[in-house]
Amino acid sequence: MTRDNDATGRYNFAEIEEKWQKSWETEGLFRADEAGIGEKYYVLEMFPYPSGRIHMGHVRNYSIGDVIARYKRMRGYNVLHPMGWDAFGLPAENAAQKNNSHPATWTYANIAYMRGQLRRLGLSYDWDREFATCDPDYFRWEQLLFIEMFARGLVYQKVTTVNWCESCQTVLANEQVIDGTCWRCDQPVHPKKMNGWFLKITDYAEELLADLDQLSGWPEKVVTMQRNWIGKSTGLNCDFTVEELDCRIAIFTTRPDTVFGVTFMSIAAEHPLLDTLISGTAHEAEVRAFAERILVEKQRQSLAEEVEKQGIFTGRYCINPFNGQRVPIYVANFVLMEYGTGAVMAVPAHDQRDFEFAKKYQLPVIPVVVPEHQELSPDTMVEAATGPGMLINSGQFSGMDSLAAQQAIISHAEAGLFGKAHVTYRLRDWGISRQRYWGAPIPMVHCQTCGVQPVPHGELPIKLPEDAAGSKTCLPLHQRPDFYETTCPRCGEAARRETDTMDTFMESSWYFARFTSPGHQTGPLDKAKAGYWLAVDQYIGGVEHAILHLLYSRFFTKVLRDLGYLGIDEPFINLLTQGMVIKDGAKMSKSKGNVVDPHELIEAYGADTVRLFSLFAAPPERDLEWSSQGVEGASRFLNRVYRMIVQHRSMLENAEVIPDQLSEAGRSLHRKTHQTIRRVTESIEQNFHFNTAISALMELFNSLNASLGEDLHQRPESGVVRQAVAVLLQLLSPMVPHFAAEMWQLVGEENGLEKLPWPLFDAEAAKEDQLTIVIQVNGKVRSRLQVPADIDDNDLISLVMKDQNTVKFLEGNSPKKTIVVKKKLVNIVF
RNA sequence: GCGAGGGUGGCGGAACUGGUAGACGCACCAGACUUAGGAUCUGGCACUUAACCGUGUGGGGGUUCGAUUCCCCCCUCUCGCACCA
């Protein structure tokens, strides 16, 4: 290298990154062990689906996690930072069919490639713990857990109307239907009646809701979304008897205080009692046609749009058990069969939907809850009065406050045995049956005589049939007699294996726990190890999993606890939901054609630059706008640091001990060094705002450069310079680990940077001895003053009063009031 | 409609419990070194102005000596839920 090249040179990232990755690997630096020193810290990023290549979202997610992992190690924690693969799923089947090969081949090839890409980023994972969820060694334990859940009554089968995705040829869970379309392929989802397996997540609804209060380390947004998803409502269940028929219609209401205002009853088009109500009546044909039309329309417009209220009178009446009133029964298009009881007592005066319906079909409106300082008249009301108030026209309850009346009315119904207090949830049980090949088989056997039987533990795992017979390999299991033909584990007679596979969200619901003991051969988890590492201290991933994955994982954690595997209630103590990577105002996606392949970036700039850019461009929770110039900038910064170090290498190697007495410039750099330690540490500790941490480091570098320009590195203050450089590299190392390690070696350090503790902040050194005090006159900034830090108020004020600008802007007036804010400003008011 | 989070230079973004608005970076401009430079170095850079002054954190009002920060009203963007009885 010539001198000229040194001055404008660039560091050889390809060489040094490979060098350090090898070194870390041979040393096993990131292997985690329960016997490790220090408090445990488990940091985890949401593991990827092995789609083929990593994308910018991965880079961002894993860079954030890696900085945290490396930082915590430097802070003396015993850090667990694992990585694995969420490897079951549909794309593998599609690819296999296309290539006439097996999904496993495609999946494991992708894993191998992507593992290489992650290694290339220098991420500090304990690779010894890696697994893929399609490894039989993983899903065998999931099958075992399924059987144990079955034994506990948490698993059942039922025929329901499910969400069917025609293009994926499979059922979807409610959580996987987004705006009426499939979460994976965006195609419309249709209802279909099918038999399937369900997990009783609703058994845990109350706990899942209540424990949200513990999650102070989660973004409020995610907590709110989960709370809304669980959707708890409390109220009254009660029965209305149908006139002339021996049947009752059950309703649920959150407003028992309005029961005296019921003027009709509305039921869903698919309500099971509808048939009984209309068969043999004059209304039958008309109502049936209406109901069918509504159901068809409902399917078509599953998308969000305001639909006009429609209904039809069934010809039947029912009796309000509270006042004996006879009210007509309608079929209405806005009543949901899936929620409550599928029938609603209609109170037009106090419910907007009922109000609109009543106006349209000229049904009476009877106000029964009058808000304070208001009068309600059915003739003048333009909308429903949904607020609280005082009861009128409500028999013995008239005059009561609506809140108190709710309780009283529930008690009244309970005493009269026609109603009961009730809690209902929006959350549905989790349908986990999928009709696809590439998933974990549900370990059940159907026997003609013995019914449903779980597979005996000894026979696990139930593996997927693997033959090399070309395109046949991907056939759904119900088309594979070689798979489903079996014998009953109880009676030994011929029986049929369950052919559904499990929803892939099953695998991701407990992988974080398996990472604590990935090789455990006698059960899903080594309880001691899981007990040591869990819960996850910091979890990082995209907000798109706010409900699906995060809710399922919370549920599984509680189930694992109840099965005796875990001693915790919640899996993730702190959650960071990182923003999306955006380009040209839209999320990077293949369909929009705005993807940037991180692979090429790494080739062009090196892993450290790519990491630095993704950390610097935005705080982690916000969206990150892609900028090729921003990457340039990150690269430029690292090269500047490199050139400075190369240029002053020999001085840095032979630096003096920091002397007691420092020149003004020396003191200034020393101060900046310690202020930077404080700023960077606080940025990371408070909210992982690496962008401000990096800007502080850039400032330190700028000061350092300026000091060198002023020949500060001449003895004896070379020690100050050296310390500034050392601190810069140490603080940079979690973010740009290869670069920092190499520069560390370049300045003559022997010991590995990764093993050194985080630098200590010296408050004394960081203290300013001169302060800039702002002078305001009448609240406007008029001047600035340099003063010693320890100046007392009176001296300060007299200095301020002598200031030229103070005098000028006082315009000869005498001050009425003087406000002194310590170390900040003086405001003179006249 | 309901819920949550945003709106600060040309751009990404800073600003601790009310106290210097615009740190840091990008872009841009000027200069230096150069045969050349999209390399590198130095300096400038909210708007307006020759300068002082003045104006300025979505808009309007309020509290305060002082408001990006607190309060009220409104506009707007993003995300989530969407007839949940």
Side-chain angles (χ1 to χ4, degrees), chain A residues 801-816:
Chain A
M801 294 313 290
K802 276 181 224 147
D803 183 84
Q804 270 190 6
N805 281 323
T806 312
V807 174
K808 180 177 158 197
F809 285 97
L810 267 176
E811 295 165 6
N813 295 290
S814 54
K816 249 195 223 134

Side-chain angles (χ1 to χ4, degrees), chain A residues 153-174:
Chain A
L154 288 170
V155 172
Y156 67 99
Q157 247 185 321
K158 68 173 172 188
V159 177
T160 47
T161 309
V162 294
N163 310 299
W164 178 259
C165 176
E166 190 60 35
S167 107
C168 297
Q169 284 288 305
T170 191
V171 170
L172 301 173
N174 285 352

Side-chain angles (χ1 to χ4, degrees), chain A residues 604-632:
Chain A
Y605 293 96
D608 284 328
T609 292
V610 177
R611 292 170 59 126
L612 188 66
F613 165 73
S614 75
L615 295 166
F616 180 57
E621 70 279 3
R622 282 221 237 168
D623 287 350
L624 183 153
E625 175 79 33
W626 167 257
S627 154
S628 53
Q629 285 155 340
V631 182
E632 245 354 295

